[in-house]
Amino acid sequence: MPSPQVGAAVCEAIRTQVARLGLSIGDEPSWAAVQLSEKTDPFSKESSLIATWRGSARYGTATFFADGRVFAEYQVLQPHPRLAGQFVEAVQVWGTPDALRGDVVLMEMPA
């Protein structure tokens, strides 16, 4: 299981990706609100820990792989502040806890 510090770092990286867009999701996600489960990869047979955020305005998951890598995605659900017609569906962060990178998931707003 990831330490609370690692969980908090992933949550902070998610909020940082949102802030880089000029948006805010407040104090979401919170590591204290996460639900944890274990999943075994059918091919590698390695176990990963899945962190899930549910029950608030947004949904998100983080997968903590056996080799120390993490991949997380968290909903933003807001119009992009600078790209007309684009909607920020979510942000993603990945890497190791000490070197997380991120990206945005955009979708075109319906006309």
Side-chain angles (χ1 to χ4, degrees):
M1 179 156 114
S3 71
Q5 293 84 3
V6 168
V10 170
C11 292
E12 181 61 30
I14 289 169
R15 289 189 296 272
T16 297
Q17 288 302 314
V18 175
R20 286 182 180 159
L21 295 167
L23 298 172
S24 174
I25 55 173
D27 60 358
E28 291 182 56
S30 166
W31 189 248
V34 75
Q35 297 173 354
L36 299 171
S37 63
E38 195 171 313
K39 182 178 178 183
T40 301
D41 184 284
F43 301 104
S44 72
K45 306 297 185 213
E46 289 185 338
S47 291
S48 298
L49 189 66
I50 311 298
T52 306
W53 294 275
R54 291 189 179 104
S56 64
R58 297 174 182 85
Y59 173 84
T61 62
T63 303
F64 295 87
F65 298 97
D67 65 1
R69 293 175 300 122
V70 62
F71 175 84
E73 184 171 72
Y74 198 79
Q75 291 178 326
V76 176
L77 307 175
Q78 296 180 39
H80 195 288
R82 294 179 303 279
L83 298 175
Q86 294 292 307
F87 189 78
V88 180
E89 181 181 1
V91 293
Q92 300 173 338
V93 296
W94 65 90
T96 58
D98 60 341
L100 292 169
R101 299 170 187 83
D103 209 354
V104 61
V105 178
L106 296 176
M107 59 185 283
E108 192 171 323
M109 292 179 71

